[in-house]
Every structure is written in structure tokens, then in C-alpha cells.
Amino acid sequence: MLSIKNLHASVAGKPILKGIDLEVAAGEVHAIMGPNGSGKSTLANVLAGRDFVEVTEGTVTYQGANLLDLEPEERAREGVFLAFQYPVEIPGVSNIYLLKAAVNAIRKHRGAEELDAMGFLKLVREKLKLVEMRDEFLHRSVNEGFSGGEKKRNEILQMAMLEPTLAILDETDSGLDIDALKIVASGVNALRSPERSMIVVTHYQRLLDYIVPDRVHVLAGGKVVRSGDKDLALELEAHGYSWIEKEPAQAAAG
Amino acid sequence: MAKTATELDTLVRREYKEGFYTDIESDTFPPGLDEDVVRALSAKKGEPGFMTEWRLEAFRRWQQLTEPSWAHVHYPKIDFQAISYYSAPKRPEDGPQSLDEVDPKLLETYEKLGIPIEEQKMLAGVAVDAVFDSVSVATTFKKTLSDAGVIFCPISEAVHEHPELVKQYLGSVVPPTDNYYASLNSAVFSDGSFVYVPKGVRCPMELSTYFRINAMNTGQFERTLIIADEGSYVSYLEGCTAPMRDENQLHAAVVELVAMKDAQIKYSTVQNWYPGDEEGRGGIYNFVTKRGACRGENAKISWTQVETGSAITWKYPSVILEGDNSIGEFYSVALTNNMQQADTGTKMVHIGKNTSSTIVSKGISAGRGQQSYRGLVKALKSAENARNYSQCDSLLMGDKCGAHTFPYIEIKNPTATVEHEATTSRIGEDQLFYCRQRGLSEEDAVSMIVNGFCKEVFKELPMEFAVEAQKLLGISLEGAVG
Amino acid sequence: MGVKLNTDNPIESFEALAADRVGRDLEWLESYRARGQEQFRSVGLPTLRNEDWKYTDVRPITRHDYRLAGYGDAAPADEKPVTVPSVEGLDAIRLVVVDGRVNRALSDIDALPDGVTLGALTDAIRDEPEAVKPWLGAALPESGHGFSALNDAFVNDGAWLRVADGVALERPIEIVFVVNADGQAPLVQPRNLVVAGEGAKVEVIERYCGDDAGPYLSNVITEMFLAPRAEIQFTRLQEEGARAGHVGGLFVRQRADSRCTLNTVSLDGLVVRNDLRVFLDEPGAECHLNGLALGTSRQHVDNHTTVEHRVEHCTSRELYKSVLDGRARSVFHGRIIVHEGAQKTDSEQRNENLLLSRDAEVDTKPQLEIYADDVKCSHGATVGQLDEDAVFYLRSRGVSETEARALLTIAFADSAVLGIGDEALRAHVDRRIRDKLNRET
């Protein structure tokens, strides 16, 4: 599904990612953890095609093709979905309008019929239940005046509508209280399937209590310094990041 | 009422034998403007004496005025003596004979806007069959209107048919001395619309489709006068989303609105004249004076405009709030791309008690476009409890464009409440990326964001106009990002 | 001393003062003055026809036969007692300027901290002309109005303050300008230069005071220069005499990462006009402009501000307020100009006005001129009354309506002077606001 090899990337000339290797197979959920500034969000942004991140070395192969060659909208249409850490407000554009435009752009790309108004409405109502939101929510401007929890639930709603092949959740848990976190997590879990891979980027272990990963990777100083199963996250929780941050230093010394 | 050509010529010959040298056989005056030209123009139109005098007075005032220079626009000096001030309506054989002869780019735009083929021909100036459908459609409209008692006709006709109304109201809101272009317009106006809605009548239809077909060839000095008598309502739509063929570079129109007690006038404009090419060559100079007067209690005048065309726009649709509790509104979307310049805004003059006004202005600047919002909110001493709310937002696309905001607020009454807010920002990279991450193309994303930005204004437009305006905005912005 | 200003032909007055002005042997200075005369001849005094003066009629303050003050060796004020009003509790290094001349005897500048130069501009021109030369006129825009040209033409004395690189002053510098109108209608035209070195930090307080006995005109220009990372906290407090005119120019140039706060508080005087212009010349510069105009009876206060974002990554914040009673009138004209290439500009401007009487009037003209696209700019202007909900809230807590209104009015005005650094000065301004509003309301 996704294969990242020796990925180096910088922002404004400053190297952030310094050789990332990551293999994600279909249906797997990978968690990427790490302290602030370790490059987690940069990695998410590289995958989605944010242009302020410059890839200086390495490859990203997605479904056999070079992902880095694609424009952001092409990636989206190929099934790459990024749930933003800070979902953007777009005044005057209603939520439902954006959803409809996006769903149809992607369907068109896949050679499927565009949904008519009724079909679309039926689908969106179904997905709304998933994130426990009401109809009126659809007619508000995209993310404008939404609470933190509403914004994140909106991201999951979009994900449910767009049915991605690879979903990247960038700090989806940040700023959520426990109830909102549960709603978001159950929305995500409902979308788990053998064809869909997910990368869950998070600072804290608590999200992983609800979205249980197949693999956990710890990022520090722009590199994956440790990989393991879900127990790694618990170990991290117990010891803190300082425990892991020492390791590359030791490696460099030795 | 129409005099034959020979009669007219005789008239012209008789009155102007000394000074007037034009070849009277010709349908177009040679360039130049003096009192004789004004007289000849009035005679050509067979106007009654009061109109001739009115025009002459305006001309004399115009000569004493100087061209305004305060607007934030730059253009070469206009030689007013190089313009011809009368030209008879074009004969069909002068225009293109079929759509094949029309600039394919123009047709492409028509396609995108979804304009029916027959209407495309009209707009492109293609000779059409005399029994073209629209004419009969127009006749039907006319019947509906006259049944309701609404007068709606060319102003040239109103001068003859309703001289008492014209005498009473023409120039009563925009006096011939008002400003340089208004004076010029008063002296030489070609034609335009006249609307009178009698007491208590709600105009049975939007005055739009009819206008779209019949407003052709009103010339470069258009004059519109709309009177809504007590308790009446009228919605008037001017212009057209389709770019029109036009050879006149200077357009100096005057629009006057009069709303009596409890009357309401809603005036919507979509302006998409030729903006010039990417280097700014050609393009219309659009110097317009539009003003409404709320003469009675509870009167309401509402201006909505979508301005995407013209090389230079200079336009401030205004409302004089004389009647107590009267309301003025101004909703505007203006877009400048390439080398376009626009200096536009409004004036709200609060005179009566409890008058209120709302201003919502959305400016979009792309390419090397320069755009200014210029507005005046004035509360006179008598304007007890006047209220104004103004919101002016500018959206910038590209680092060579400019957006400027010049509001003037003059308050002489302590019970007035005025609030002005303005913001300027770039089209958000974050917003663009967000939309693209959801699968939208960059152009669709821009169009969606821009339309969202303009939503408050579009919702004031009549439905079908709003849809067209949205498409128009998308087309006008093509190539603005990339 | 008794040369009258001939505004039709200032050259005449200039000739008459020939012997008294400092630095007659300095070619650059003389030609600077000559350019000022030239400029004045071409523009004259402003009238209502001038767009920048359309709301301010200067005739009430220009119709007098002014006597040019501030020339000659020692001000006659030395010989007669001068009262210099103080600010309670203000602990500052003090420079006193009487009738346009720096008065050493009344000043307290003998023990200055290391790296600080503070004294008379005339002395600086005499003793170290080369140190003055690069700064004089360097913060002024290309073409100023008639008053500014007049100050240029007669430039002579004023405050000269220089803070060396890296020096941070603990005590503020207070410059008190006192005018004895004395029925003589003096025209004082101080020129102040403030030069802050790299990383220097200083608070400067300018206070303008005068007697109510007769008309006089303060036509002041202060130029300030901030080197990289310099910080200036500046307050101009206008407590001029009741019949006085005050035309105050404040021109600031800021280099990289410098920061300044400019507070302008206009309390007294008949006609007050302030022209502020800040040039943000290098990236990272930040400025905060705060203004309060408190007008009563027939006072007229006109605040013109211009912030020029000339390069990328600069920040400006502006808050101007006016409270008007009686027949007072206030004008606010705030321009923010974002030049081409000044990306990432972050600019906000607010103007709020409160009218307390039927005859008060306000004219406001906030402007944005933007030639770059990656910017965040906003402005807002309001004219209105006190928030009735707030009045009600206070009343529901037992406060009388009169008291509630007074409280809210004072709170409204106070918020515009929060930027004043020195606590004693802020307390003084607060007191003055209260006194003035309580007296009038």
C-alpha cells in the first residue's frame, strides 16, 4: 500500500525528516508517536502534498506509483485522506457544499456516476450518525465557529464520505475532551477495513486506547527510532519521551 | 410622435445654420461638443423645449467643472472633443452576419455562462430576424406592466409621453451640476429607462429580462430614472453577465431613484463590460453616478452590484435618507483582474430620524488589478438615532495587485451609531490546500472560496442573477492563480 | 526678542533672526532651513480645501500676530520665575524647555547614566554638528504641510537625546515644554531628535504645558530613530493653555526588530493637530500607536496617523479614541500603507468615538492602502454611545445611572492610555481624565 524509503524533507531550508522508512500494508493501522518537533506533522504534510515541505531525498510509493509526483487533489482522488490537525475555516462555503463537490470530484475520477442530490443527502445523513452530529451542522460554513470537537468530528465525517484507501489522522485527538475523543475514535474504528490503511499521528497514548494500532513507530529527531506493536505505546506512556530520545544520541556515540 | 427624418433635418438646419457644420445627412455627428451639438442632439430626438434648455444648462455647468482626480485610478486624459455625441442605432447589416463572424473567445464565455443561442446573437450584435421571439415576449411583458399601471419605457419616450413626471423628477436626485460626469451626461444623455410605479402597486415582475433585450444601443451616456410612489415596490435589474460588444470606450451613466413614503426600490446591477486585454489595452471607462433618495417615511432603497468588467470603474451608488425610518443598503462585489482598476463604494447620508443603512462591500483583486472602496457615512444633526453598519472585506490574489479602503465617517448627532469594519487578506493557502486535499482542483477551490467570500452579497441578488454572477466570478478569475 | 512671524513672507522674519540662530556657518543646516522656507512659500498654511485638512480649520490659531520665540542665547525666562508643573510621583530625568529654549537651570541633566546624551539641540549643533547632521529631517516625509515647513525653516532649539548601543535606561526621560503666553502670542517651534542605538531601551515623555492667559502656538516636530532591536516607549501629553494651538509632528523610523509604543494624549488646548508617521524600514519592526482625544467646550483635536509598512514581516497596532462633550470636535485620519513586497504584514487599526453632547462632532477616515497580497490588515471605526446593557448591569448592582455613565465613560477613555509605561504618568493621566469628565458631565 504505502512504502516510504529514506525520506528526507525540510521546511524553509531546515531539515526536519532525516531518513524515514515505513511500510504500511493494506488494512493496517500504524501509529506514529513522538515528542513535539520530532517531525510527525511534517510527515503527514509530505504525504498529503503540502508545498511548504520540500522533499530532499528518498521515495514514497503508494499503490505502486510515486506519490510525490501527484498534486494534492490527485492524491485525494487516489484515496489519500488527511484529517488536519487544524481544520481550516472557509467562510460562506457550507459544509454540505464542500462535501458534495469533493465526493463528486473523487467519484468522477474513479469513473463512478456523480451522486444526485437525493442520493447524496441519504449518504451524508447515514454518515452523520457515525460522528453523532445533526443535520443543521451541514449547512454551517466549513469549520467556521466550530468548537474544537466539532472540527475534528467534521474531519471524520469527511473521511467517512470520501472513503479513502489511506487515511492519515494528524493529531486528531488534540484539544478533545474524553467524550469527543470517544466519538471520534468510534467513527474511525467504524471505518477500519481490510482495504483501508491508516496512519494515526499522535503525541499521547490515550487515543491508542480507543484506536488500537497494529504497529507503533516512535519518531525523534526526524527519524524512526523505535518500532513495535501496541505495547510500545504503553511503554512510552510509562517512561516518557526522554527515555527514547536518548537512544539516537547513544547510537551516534557508539 | 416620431418625426420623419426630413422633418428633423429641416429643424436642425433651421436652428443651427450658423454654427453647426455637421453633415446633416449623416446619422452620426462628427466628434466634438459645444452648445450647438447639444441643441442638435435634442432636436434629433425631437425633444420638447424644456429638455433642450435643461441639457444646455447642464452643458454650461459642465464647462465650468474640472474632471475629478481624487479617485485612486490612473488613465490617460480623455479628450471630450474627440467623442461623437450622437450616433443613430446601428443598422443590422453593419454588424456580423452570423455567429461565425464573432470572436470565438466571446462565444466561449457565452457558452460557459449558459446563454441561449438566440440571446448570444443579440449580445454579439449579430443581425437577427425581425420576428425574433424576444420581441413578442417583450410585448407580453409590456401588457402585464401596463395592466398594473406601471410605466416602463425608454426615457426618450417618457420625455414625450410623461413630460410632467420627467420635469418633476429628472435631476431631482442627481442635479445636472452634481459632478463632472453627471453634468456631461445631463447635457448629452443618449437614452435609458424610465420607470414609474404608482401608489400602492407592487410591480408584478422583476424588470430584467425585458431590459436585457431592449437595453441595447442605449449608447454611452445612459440615463435612468425610477420613481416608486407611496407604498409601491419595484425590483430593477440592470446589465448582463455576458460581455457585450461595445465600441464606446467612455460610459458615463446617471441613475436616479426616488422612493416615496413606504416605497421600496431594489436595484441590482451586473456589470461585465470589456475590461481590456491582459496588458490593459482597450476596455471601458465606466464613470457612473447612481443615487437614490428616500423621500418619505419608511422608504427603502437597496443597491446590489456585481462589478467584474470595465477597465476603470468609478461608481458610488448612494442613498439620501430623508424620510424618517428610511433604509439604505449597498451590497457590492467588485473584482479586478489583470490591469483593471476600480474605485467604488457608496454614500449614505442620514437626514431623517431613525434612518439606518447597511454597507457590505467585497473586493477581490487579482493580477495587477487595483481596487479601492470609497464610502461616506454622514449623519446630519437631524438624524436622531441613525444607524450604520459597514463591512468592507478585500481578498488579494497575487503580489502585484492592490486593495485600498477609504471610508469617511462624519457624525454630527450624538445618538448616531456607526460601525465600520474592514479586513484585507490573501486568499488562504490553508483554505486552498484543504479543498485540494479533499479532491477539488485548484480552480474549483478558488472559485468556491471566492463565492463563499461573496455570499452575503449574492444572496441579495434575484435568484437567476445570483447563479449567473457566481459563474461570472469564476470565469473572470480564470488564470488568476496558478 | 520680538520678531513677529510674517507668514506671507517668512523670509523677512528669518532675516530678522539672522544673528540669533545657531550654526549659521554650517552650510548643510542653512540649506536645510532654506528648503523649509522654499517649501513654506510653495504650500503656505493649510486650508479646508486641502484634503488632509478638510475637517480642521486652522484660522482660530493662525489669525494672531505671533512673536517668534526660541532664539538668542538665553531665554528671558531665566530671569523671571517659571513654574514647571510636575506629575506627582514621577521619577524621571528631566529636561525643561521654556518658550522654545532649553533651560538648563530648570533641568536635571547633570548626572546622566553612561551612554546617554541629553541636552539642547543648539548645544549639540554647536558642539558636535556632525553627530546631528545625519538625523535632522531624516524621518520627515518628502513633502510636509505648511506648519512642518515652518518648523524646518526656523529649526534651532529643542531636545537632543541619544542613547548608545545596548544601554537600557531605568528612569524615564521627561521633557517638559512650558510656554508663557504672557499676552505676547509666542510661536514656539522646538525640534526634538531622539536616537536610540542598537538594543537600546528608553522611555520618553513629552509634556506640553502653557498658561491660559493668551494665545500661543506650539509647532513641534520630534524625530525618532530606532536602530535594530531598540525599544522606545513614548508618550506625548498635551496639556496646553486654553487658547493655545498645538501642531505636533512625530516622525519615527524603525530598523530591524525594533519596537516602539507611541501614546498621544490630547487633553487641553484650543486646536490640536497631531501628525504621526512611522516608517517600518526593516523586517521585524513593530509599532503600537495609542491615542486619546478628550475634547470639551470648543476644543478641536485632529489626529492624523500614517504607518508605512515598507518591508516584509512588520507589525503595527493602533487604537485611537475620542470622547467629546460641549461643542468639541475630533478628527481621526489613520492611514496604513503596505508597500509592494511588504509580505506578511500584520496590521490592525481601531478608532472609537463617544459623543456626549448634541453639539459635538466627529469625522473619521481610517484608510488601508495595500500593494502586497500576503498580509493581514484590518481596521474598524465606531461612533456611538455607551453600551446600554452595561449601564443597566451597573444599575442593577445598585450604582446610580449618572454614576454608571460616568464610570463607563472613564473606562472607555482609560483603555486608550493603558499603553503608557510609567505608572505615575498613567495615574496622572487617569486623574486628569476623571477631573475633566466629572467637571463636564
Side-chain angles (χ1 to χ4, degrees):
Chain A
M1 169 80 63
L2 181 76
S3 167
I4 301 173
K5 289 207 163 70
N6 191 32
L7 182 68
H8 287 70
S10 40
V11 173
K14 191 176 168 230
I16 306 285
L17 302 183
K18 299 165 184 169
I20 302 265
D21 292 291
L22 190 66
E23 298 289 332
V24 181
E28 286 181 354
V29 173
H30 288 231
I32 309 256
M33 301 185 71
N36 291 329
S38 60
K40 302 188 302 282
S41 284
T42 305
L43 178 62
N45 278 313
V46 167
L47 296 178
R50 198 80 219 243
D51 61 4
F52 67 73
V53 188
E54 193 196 350
V55 174
T56 50
E57 211 183 323
T59 58
V60 180
T61 312
Y62 168 68
Q63 292 182 326
N66 182 359
L67 184 70
L68 302 177
D69 275 352
L70 302 179
E71 291 294 316
E73 60 267 35
E74 292 171 328
R75 299 181 195 204
R77 292 169 193 174
E78 291 291 342
V80 177
F81 180 91
L82 172 66
F84 286 64
Q85 181 180 4
Y86 303 108
V88 179
E89 301 187 357
I90 311 177
V93 175
S94 71
N95 229 352
I96 192 165
Y97 187 85
L98 172 69
L99 274 174
K100 194 163 179 222
V103 165
N104 282 332
I106 289 170
R107 287 180 71 94
K108 204 172 147 195
H109 179 76
R110 293 176 183 163
E113 286 268 306
E114 292 192 11
L115 280 179
D116 62 22
M118 283 314 290
F120 177 78
L121 208 59
K122 191 165 165 283
L123 182 67
V124 81
R125 290 218 166 110
E126 195 179 296
K127 305 290 186 192
L128 270 176
K129 286 188 202 126
L130 206 61
V131 286
E132 300 180 25
M133 306 203 81
R134 281 186 303 195
D135 261 24
E136 62 193 44
F137 180 74
L138 295 171
H139 300 285
R140 286 164 62 185
S141 290
V142 177
N143 293 325
E144 196 185 33
F146 284 25
S147 71
E150 284 176 328
K151 281 184 181 171
K152 296 297 170 82
R153 277 191 273 171
N154 198 25
E155 293 295 288
I156 303 306
L157 172 67
Q158 292 182 6
M159 175 170 145
M161 290 295 291
L162 300 183
E163 303 185 323
T165 319
L166 172 66
I168 304 146
L169 310 179
D170 188 6
E171 309 245 359
T172 298
D173 52 331
S174 67
L176 293 187
D177 60 36
I178 196 70
D179 294 328
L181 184 73
K182 280 180 182 165
I183 295 172
V184 166
S186 76
V188 172
N189 285 329
L191 293 168
R192 284 178 83 152
S193 91
E195 297 82 38
R196 184 170 294 140
S197 310
M198 294 189 188
I199 295 176
V200 180
V201 175
T202 182
H203 186 89
Y204 301 104
Q205 191 269 339
R206 73 171 183 165
L207 178 66
L208 305 181
D209 288 343
Y210 302 96
I211 304 174
V212 181
D214 299 307
R215 299 283 293 162
V216 174
H217 312 275
V218 181
L219 220 61
K223 284 185 164 179
V224 175
V225 293
R226 188 76 83 88
S227 293
D229 60 13
K230 62 181 190 329
D231 295 337
L232 177 58
L234 295 170
E235 250 182 286
L236 263 182
E237 179 79 356
H239 297 91
Y241 282 114
S242 54
W243 165 65
I244 220 96
E245 273 174 320
K246 285 185 194 118
E247 305 230 332
Q250 280 162 4
Chain B
M1 63 167 178
K3 292 185 186 346
T4 66
T6 340
E7 276 173 318
L8 270 180
D9 289 349
T10 318
L11 256 172
V12 171
R13 213 190 301 267
R14 194 176 62 226
E15 286 190 28
Y16 310 114
K17 53 184 185 288
E18 277 94 24
F20 193 54
Y21 56 87
T22 188
D23 173 6
I24 37 152
E25 302 301 334
S26 156
D27 265 350
T28 299
F29 287 4
L33 184 57
D34 57 22
E35 288 203 10
D36 288 339
V37 171
V38 175
R39 282 199 188 90
L41 178 72
S42 187
K44 265 275 192 212
K45 295 171 151 301
E47 289 176 350
F50 83 90
M51 271 313 305
T52 314
E53 274 317 305
W54 196 81
R55 284 177 184 274
L56 282 169
E57 184 53 33
F59 174 73
R60 287 172 197 136
R61 295 306 295 257
W62 178 70
Q63 284 180 303
Q64 291 161 17
L65 296 169
T66 47
E67 218 181 324
S69 58
W70 43 260
H72 203 84
V73 293
H74 304 279
Y75 54 92
K77 207 163 166 48
I78 298 168
D79 182 358
F80 291 93
Q81 295 300 336
I83 294 169
S84 167
Y85 289 87
Y86 178 79
S87 125
K90 282 245 159 18
R91 285 166 304 167
E93 49 281 22
D94 293 340
Q97 295 304 303
S98 77
L99 281 177
D100 298 340
E101 292 174 38
V102 175
D103 180 4
K105 264 200 141 162
L106 200 62
L107 295 179
E108 199 184 308
T109 312
Y110 291 164
E111 279 309 317
K112 285 178 187 159
L113 287 167
I115 293 174
I117 199 94
E118 284 307 317
E119 218 172 294
Q120 289 190 20
K121 289 185 185 170
M122 290 284 312
L123 295 164
V126 173
V128 284
D129 198 348
V131 289
F132 174 45
D133 266 2
S134 312
V135 176
S136 52
V137 171
T139 314
T140 321
F141 288 163
K142 243 190 154 159
K143 171 100 173 55
T144 316
L145 289 174
S146 66
D147 286 352
V150 175
I151 303 169
F152 181 30
C153 64
I155 199 159
S156 54
E157 198 180 308
V159 167
H160 295 282
E161 304 291 312
H162 310 284
E164 67 300 336
L165 286 173
V166 172
K167 254 190 215 172
Q168 188 180 351
Y169 292 107
L170 187 69
S172 74
V173 185
V174 180
T177 51
D178 191 77
N179 69 71
Y180 190 78
Y181 301 112
S183 282
L184 178 64
N185 175 289
S186 302
V188 301
F189 73 83
S190 32
D191 209 340
S193 303
F194 176 84
V195 180
Y196 174 80
V197 188
K199 278 186 191 171
V201 171
R202 189 180 170 89
C203 187
M205 59 197 279
E206 306 257 6
L207 299 180
S208 62
T209 319
Y210 172 85
F211 184 85
R212 180 139 126 187
I213 296 159
N214 288 265
M216 313 293 297
N217 293 319
T218 46
Q220 58 189 130
F221 300 104
E222 200 176 317
R223 184 102 197 178
T224 300
L225 174 58
I226 300 176
I227 303 138
D229 215 327
E230 287 183 17
S232 69
Y233 169 86
V234 60
S235 166
Y236 185 94
L237 276 64
E238 167 205 53
C240 179
T241 49
M244 277 195 265
R245 245 171 63 95
D246 201 315
E247 274 108 38
N248 300 310
Q249 189 166 33
L250 173 68
H251 278 248
V254 171
V255 176
E256 295 179 272
L257 310 182
V258 180
M260 309 305 284
K261 184 169 180 279
D262 298 319
Q264 188 179 345
I265 302 175
K266 190 170 166 59
Y267 193 105
S268 313
T269 305
V270 172
Q271 184 266 112
N272 187 25
W273 280 329
Y274 183 54
D277 66 13
E278 278 161 29
E279 293 306 312
R281 283 180 296 256
I284 304 285
Y285 295 175
N286 186 20
F287 299 151
V288 189
T289 305
K290 290 186 167 175
R291 194 175 304 153
C294 286
R295 291 266 157 88
E297 284 170 39
N298 306 315
K300 178 174 174 184
I301 289 178
S302 164
W303 299 98
T304 306
Q305 60 174 28
V306 177
E307 304 273 327
T308 60
S310 298
I312 299 176
T313 300
W314 182 100
K315 182 182 171 186
Y316 315 93
S318 306
V319 186
I320 314 293
L321 298 153
E322 296 166 29
D324 291 349
N325 310 318
S326 59
I327 298 172
E329 294 176 338
F330 174 75
Y331 298 95
S332 169
V333 165
L335 182 149
T336 48
N337 197 356
N338 297 322
M339 297 292 281
Q340 282 178 277
Q341 307 174 56
D343 194 298
T344 183
T346 183
K347 280 193 240 178
M348 294 290 174
V349 181
H350 293 257
I351 300 170
K353 294 189 183 76
N354 303 317
T355 48
S356 71
S357 59
T358 304
I359 298 170
V360 177
S361 164
K362 302 279 180 175
I364 301 145
S365 223
R368 282 176 286 168
Q370 291 292 331
Q371 182 159 149
S372 305
Y373 166 82
R374 189 180 301 279
L376 169 69
V377 174
K378 190 171 188 164
L380 301 189
K381 256 198 161 49
S382 53
E384 205 70 8
N385 292 317
R387 293 280 178 276
N388 163 268
Y389 174 74
S390 306
Q391 172 77 44
C392 306
D393 297 320
S394 305
L395 195 63
L396 294 151
M397 300 168 75
D399 58 2
K400 294 283 180 287
C401 57
H404 320 296
T405 315
F406 306 105
Y408 291 63
I409 301 166
E410 302 177 8
I411 306 302
K412 298 186 198 309
N413 185 303
T415 62
T417 304
V418 177
E419 230 178 302
H420 168 97
E421 296 290 338
T423 63
T424 302
S425 58
R426 168 192 226 190
I427 186 157
E429 288 290 332
D430 293 347
Q431 295 174 339
L432 275 179
F433 182 73
Y434 190 76
C435 292
R436 293 176 73 193
Q437 213 299 310
R438 298 298 179 253
L440 273 67
S441 71
E442 187 159 19
E443 269 187 2
D444 287 347
V446 167
S447 175
M448 183 188 276
I449 293 165
V450 168
N451 277 311
F453 173 76
C454 300
K455 197 176 190 175
E456 285 163 273
V457 175
F458 286 160
K459 73 175 173 22
E460 296 298 323
L461 284 172
M463 190 61 168
E464 71 276 17
F465 244 38
V467 174
E468 285 184 22
Q470 287 196 22
K471 283 193 205 159
L472 177 61
L473 223 53
I475 293 168
S476 306
L477 276 172
E478 272 176 12
V481 285
Chain C
M1 294 307 299
V3 178
K4 276 186 173 179
L5 174 69
N6 180 344
T7 49
D8 297 325
N9 185 7
I11 309 304
E12 205 174 275
S13 332
F14 193 72
E15 301 286 309
L17 289 165
D20 290 335
R21 68 182 186 269
V22 70
R24 271 176 302 152
D25 51 334
L26 298 168
E27 194 275 328
W28 60 268
L29 183 59
E30 286 295 276
S31 69
Y32 182 84
R33 288 167 169 148
R35 280 199 303 277
Q37 293 167 38
E38 199 51 47
Q39 171 75 2
F40 183 81
R41 252 203 306 249
S42 89
V43 299
L45 288 173
T47 68
L48 296 174
R49 279 195 301 278
N50 183 316
E51 176 69 17
D52 275 341
W53 293 80
K54 72 180 280 190
Y55 299 121
T56 296
D57 188 351
V58 295
R59 282 172 301 186
I61 55 163
T62 55
R63 62 191 165 92
H64 308 289
D65 285 329
Y66 284 114
R67 170 181 64 86
L68 277 163
Y71 291 83
D73 280 337
D78 272 357
E79 292 133 33
K80 59 180 179 182
V82 178
T83 24
V84 182
S86 321
V87 167
E88 196 185 316
L90 177 62
D91 173 26
I93 300 166
R94 183 188 250 197
L95 183 76
V96 177
V97 183
V98 180
D99 288 348
R101 282 310 299 268
V102 168
N103 186 315
R104 284 196 79 91
L106 295 169
S107 303
D108 161 33
I109 51 170
D110 293 331
L112 293 171
D114 286 347
V116 177
T117 312
L118 175 64
L121 184 64
T122 44
D123 291 341
I125 291 171
R126 204 173 290 121
D127 303 338
E128 44 171 356
E130 289 308 307
V132 175
K133 188 179 164 188
W135 308 112
L136 183 70
L140 266 53
E142 294 240 326
S143 57
H145 51 61
F147 288 104
S148 149
L150 212 52
N151 186 294
D152 277 346
F154 291 95
V155 68
N156 198 52
D157 206 359
W160 163 245
L161 170 62
R162 205 164 37 154
V163 183
D165 292 354
V167 173
L169 274 85
E170 277 168 30
R171 295 162 73 205
I173 307 263
E174 180 196 21
I175 310 169
V176 192
F177 299 82
V178 191
V179 179
N180 291 296
D182 210 17
Q184 303 265 343
L187 165 60
V188 295
Q189 307 203 81
R191 169 69 63 105
N192 310 304
L193 299 178
V194 176
V195 182
E198 274 191 46
K201 206 176 158 189
V202 60
E203 175 167 1
V204 179
I205 299 163
E206 282 186 359
R207 293 173 51 225
Y208 292 89
C209 326
D211 62 57
D212 299 339
Y216 68 85
L217 177 59
S218 294
N219 181 32
V220 190
I221 290 180
T222 298
E223 297 184 71
M224 291 206 301
F225 302 88
L226 288 86
R229 298 185 317 285
E231 268 183 53
I232 296 184
Q233 166 79 253
F234 176 92
T235 300
R236 176 173 279 179
L237 177 60
Q238 286 148 341
E239 298 179 289
E240 299 277 22
R243 298 178 63 190
H246 181 107
V247 180
L250 176 59
F251 302 95
V252 183
R253 295 207 91 109
Q254 289 189 244
R255 296 191 54 198
D257 303 313
S258 62
R259 192 189 144 96
C260 77
T261 303
L262 310 173
N263 305 298
T264 306
V265 183
S266 307
L267 298 177
D268 309 301
L270 184 61
V271 175
V272 173
R273 157 76 174 222
N274 290 305
D275 287 280
L276 263 74
R277 190 181 280 255
V278 181
F279 295 94
L280 301 168
D281 288 327
E282 291 181 10
E286 181 178 333
C287 69
H288 295 252
L289 279 63
N290 304 304
L292 173 68
L294 195 55
T296 56
S297 62
R298 284 184 175 276
Q299 277 183 277
H300 182 111
V301 183
D302 178 348
N303 279 304
H304 266 57
T305 68
T306 305
V307 176
E308 295 207 32
H309 284 263
R310 293 159 60 91
V311 296
E312 69 279 7
H313 287 290
C314 291
T315 303
S316 63
R317 292 286 178 273
E318 188 168 355
L319 173 65
Y320 267 72
K321 290 197 171 190
S322 75
V323 179
L324 303 171
D325 203 349
R327 304 183 69 84
R329 187 168 173 188
S330 99
V331 179
F332 174 75
H333 182 179
R335 289 172 77 191
I336 292 170
I337 305 172
V338 179
H339 290 259
E340 200 173 319
Q343 302 292 25
K344 305 280 178 199
T345 285
D346 182 353
S347 177
E348 275 177 33
Q349 180 194 68
R350 288 213 65 80
N351 171 238
E352 295 174 2
N353 304 280
L354 190 58
L355 298 180
L356 301 176
S357 101
R358 300 217 57 90
D359 296 315
E361 185 176 334
V362 61
D363 300 293
T364 168
K365 231 170 91 177
Q367 303 194 350
L368 298 172
E369 286 169 60
I370 295 164
Y371 298 92
D373 68 326
D374 192 2
V375 300
K376 239 173 63 191
C377 297
S378 68
H379 69 205
T382 60
V383 181
Q385 303 80 44
L386 294 173
D387 177 0
E388 289 303 321
D389 289 343
V391 174
F392 178 78
Y393 180 81
L394 289 176
R395 290 175 70 190
S396 75
R397 296 291 177 270
V399 179
S400 78
E401 180 168 355
T402 323
E403 204 179 329
R405 289 187 185 281
L407 266 173
L408 291 169
T409 306
I410 289 163
F412 174 88
D414 263 359
S415 62
V417 297
L418 292 176
I420 296 175
D422 187 89
E423 279 177 32
L425 182 68
R426 202 165 60 226
H428 169 80
V429 170
D430 273 354
R431 265 195 311 276
R432 285 294 329 271
I433 293 172
R434 271 158 228 272
D435 288 352
K436 199 164 173 186
L437 286 173
N438 285 336
R439 196 169 65 227
E440 307 291 337
T441 50

